[in-house]
Each structure stands twice: as structure tokens, then as C-alpha cells.
């Protein structure tokens, strides 16, 4: 067997293993969620009651779906202008300079910090700051969790966008400059259109990370099993309710938490698929 056939076989085996892992995850989650699905059916998705009382058990995922979507959307809206500006600064305005290298290293460092560290910082620094500004609910809530999520994904989105921006061919920019275009015109007429699909992909990946974030959100969201009444209200996300209650759960409650995990898996997959569709349309 020559080297080309060996390489092809290894690549095929690796891809097949990934498919097996993904299939195994879906199967195991679906198997664990069967008791909850049998008990509550499709209404599990839009029921907002979460009652673990024996003999009166009733579970629904709507409060956690709402909390997850709300915190992630607010986080991406906060992070988008900041990370986009930072990526232009690093990838275009000061690309190749010592300052850009130092800041780029710091961005990569921040992107690798464990989420629990962000959670601790949010609890001991961000929360007291927001309380001093008059934030209700003792500094806990959707808004606080969204801010810490935004801070977490800004380095991630910035790093990805910077890499895409630096990959725009120099010939395109030089041609625009030779025609008399200004720096601003080159950025928004040449660089952004050329890097658009990659930048969007970076934000979709960042949004996916925000959806599944657990510990930082758990420490700041308030952990209330209800649909958030406002941005300043307390709530729960799909990941945080699993982290809080999985260790002590059994029976139908355990199955319901697994069903929540399955829903999170499917929602994340749906968003990634939607993102790929949007990127193809933009190419």
C-alpha cells in the first residue's frame, strides 16, 4: 500500500470516528430524554413550569430556551461593534506593527481564559459595579450575564475576524488606493466585502460559544426557573440549569435535564447550519 492510500485511509477513519462520536452523543441524549418525552411530549418545548415536587412533577424547557437565546443575542449585539473595530485595528490599520503584535497576543490570551475565571471576575467586579449604578436584583440577571458573555466572546470574534481581514489580497487594496480611494473607502468597499463571509462565520461561531456557556452565566444570571421579565430580570439558561441541578437529579427530573441538553445540542446545530447557509448566500 503506497503512502497516498495510507493517507486516504487515515483521513477516512478519522472522519468516520467523528461521525460516530456525534451519532453516539445524539443517541445517548435521546435515550436519556425518552421518559421526559413520553411524559410531556412536544409541549415540553413551550411549557414554562418547572416543578420538581414529587407527585406533582411537571417540567418545561421554555424558560431556559428564552434565557439562552436572550443572553446570547444581547451578548453578540454588545460584542459585535467592539470586536469588529478591534479586528480592523489589528488586521488593517496597525497590521505588522509591534503594537498590533502585543495586542494580538493579549487577545489570544483572553480568548483562552477559562470561563470560570470570567465568572469570578463578573461576580466580584462587574456585579458590584452594576449594583452601584442602580441595577436591580442585587446585580444578578440577564443583563449581567450578557455583559460577561460579551466580554468572553469579544477576544474570540476579534481573533477570527483579524485572521480573515489579513488574508485579503494586497493587490486588491493597492488597486483601490491607486484609483484614489481613501483608507475608509478601501476598508468598507474592498476589505469588508472580501472578508465578509469569513467575518460572519466568526460571529456565528462566537454566538454558538455563547449559547453553550455554563459556569460564568450560572454565577451571574440569578438561576430563577422562569421566563425573564426584562433584561434586568433573573432567569436561567439551558446550560446553567443543567449545571445547577444535574448532580442531585434523578428519575423524571434527570430525564428532563437530559432533554434540555438534547434541545441545546439541536439548537446549536440548527444555528450552525443556518450560518453555513447564510455564508454560502454571501459568497
Amino acid at each position: 500500500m503506497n503512502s497516498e492510500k495510507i493517507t486516504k485511509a487515515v483521513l477516512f477513519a478519522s472522519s468516520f470516528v467523528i461521525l460516530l462520536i456525534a451519532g453516539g452523543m445524539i443517541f445517548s441524549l435521546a435515550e436519556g430524554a425518552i421518559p421526559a418525552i413520553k411524559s410531556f411530549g412536544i409541549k415540553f418545548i413551550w411549557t414554562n413550569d418547572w416543578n420538581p415536587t414529587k407527585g406533582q412533577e411537571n417540567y418545561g424547557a421554555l424558560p431556559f430556551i428564552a434565557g439562552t437565546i436572550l443572553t446570547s443575542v444581547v451578548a453578540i449585539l454588545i460584542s459585535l461593534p467592539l470586536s469588529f473595530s478591534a479586528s480592523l485595528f489589528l488586521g488593517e490599520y496597525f497590521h505588522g506593527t509591534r503594537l498590533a503584535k502585543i495586542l494580538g497576543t493579549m487577545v489570544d490570551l483572553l480568548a483562552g481564559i477559562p470561563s470560570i475565571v470570567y465568572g469570578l471576575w463578573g461576580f466580584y467586579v462587574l456585579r458590584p459595579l452594576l449594583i452601584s449604578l442602580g441595577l436591580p436584583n442585587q446585580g444578578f440577571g440577564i443583563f449581567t450575564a450578557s455583559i460577561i458573555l460579551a466580554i468572553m466572546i469579544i477576544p474570540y470574534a476579534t481573533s477570527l475576524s483579524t485572521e480573515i481581514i489579513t488574508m485579503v489580497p494586497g493587490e486588491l487594496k493597492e488597486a483601490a488606493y491607486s484609483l484614489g480611494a481613501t483608507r475608509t473607502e478601501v476598508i468598507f468597499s474592498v476589505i469588508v466585502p472580501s472578508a465578509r463571509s469569513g467575518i460572519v462565520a466568526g460571529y456565528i461561531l462566537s454566538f454558538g460559544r455563547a449559547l453553550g456557556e455554563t459556569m460564568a452565566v450560572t454565577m451571574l444570571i440569578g438561576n430563577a426557573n422562569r421566563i425573564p421579565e426584562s433584561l434586568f430580570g433573573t432567569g436561567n439558561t439551558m446550560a446553567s440549569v443543567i449545571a445547577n441541578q444535574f448532580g442531585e437529579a434523578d428519575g423524571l427530573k434527570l430525564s428532563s435535564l437530559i432533554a434540555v441538553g438534547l434541545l441545546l445540542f439541536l439548537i446549536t446545530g440548527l444555528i450552525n447550519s443556518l450560518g453555513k447557509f447564510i455564508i454560502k448566500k454571501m459568497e
Side-chain angles (χ1 to χ4, degrees):
M1 182 179 292
N2 57 38
S3 59
E4 183 176 348
K5 290 184 178 180
I6 293 175
T7 302
K8 186 176 181 179
V10 170
L11 294 176
F12 177 81
S14 300
S15 302
F16 187 69
V17 168
I18 292 173
L19 289 176
L20 284 179
I21 292 173
M25 290 176 64
I26 295 174
F27 176 79
S28 59
L29 288 172
E31 185 179 34
I34 286 176
I37 295 172
K38 286 183 177 179
S39 297
F40 308 116
I42 193 67
K43 70 177 184 178
F44 178 79
I45 297 175
W46 60 74
T47 300
N48 60 6
D49 187 25
W50 190 267
N51 183 10
T53 305
K54 294 295 183 182
Q56 302 177 21
E57 287 184 289
N58 190 37
Y59 300 103
L62 184 59
F64 316 125
I65 295 174
T68 300
I69 298 298
L70 188 56
T71 53
S72 299
V73 169
V74 173
I76 203 71
L77 290 176
I78 294 172
S79 68
L80 197 153
L82 298 173
S83 57
F84 181 67
S85 299
S87 63
L88 286 176
F89 179 90
L90 296 173
E92 176 59 25
Y93 276 93
F94 287 86
H95 178 60
T97 65
R98 180 176 297 180
L99 176 61
K101 291 178 181 178
I102 293 173
L103 292 177
T105 300
M106 292 300 298
V107 167
D108 292 337
L109 177 64
L110 290 173
I113 292 177
S115 62
I116 188 65
V117 176
Y118 281 103
L120 288 171
W121 180 85
F123 188 89
Y124 288 108
V125 178
L126 178 63
R127 176 175 162 266
L129 175 62
L130 294 177
I131 291 174
S132 69
L133 296 175
L135 188 72
N137 295 315
Q138 295 78 48
F140 295 110
I142 296 293
F143 187 65
T144 311
S146 297
I147 291 177
I148 205 66
L149 269 182
I151 294 172
M152 289 180 62
I153 64 177
I154 283 173
Y156 191 66
T158 299
S159 181
L160 291 172
S161 298
T162 300
E163 290 295 323
I164 297 300
I165 288 171
T166 57
M167 292 172 63
V168 175
E171 293 81 359
L172 293 178
K173 294 182 285 185
E174 291 171 4
Y177 283 127
S178 67
L179 294 173
T182 63
R183 174 66 68 86
T184 301
E185 289 172 337
V186 169
I187 288 174
F188 291 101
S189 299
V190 177
I191 296 175
V192 172
S194 299
R196 181 176 54 183
S197 60
I199 292 173
V200 171
Y203 282 108
I204 291 171
L205 291 173
S206 300
F207 185 68
R209 179 178 180 182
L211 284 173
E213 180 49 49
T214 306
M215 291 310 301
V217 173
T218 302
M219 297 175 69
L220 296 167
I221 199 170
N223 301 311
N225 299 329
R226 60 170 178 261
I227 297 176
E229 298 174 355
S230 70
L231 283 179
F232 301 103
T234 55
N236 240 331
T237 64
M238 302 172 81
S240 66
V241 72
I242 295 172
N244 273 322
Q245 302 184 23
F246 192 83
E248 60 184 23
D250 58 11
L252 189 57
K253 183 178 181 180
L254 177 61
S255 178
S256 297
L257 290 171
I258 295 174
V260 170
L262 178 62
L263 281 174
L264 179 58
F265 186 98
L266 295 176
I267 289 172
T268 304
L270 178 63
I271 289 174
N272 287 336
S273 298
L274 180 62
K276 289 181 179 180
F277 175 77
I278 294 172
I279 291 170
K280 287 183 178 180
K281 289 291 183 181
M282 295 175 65
E283 289 179 346

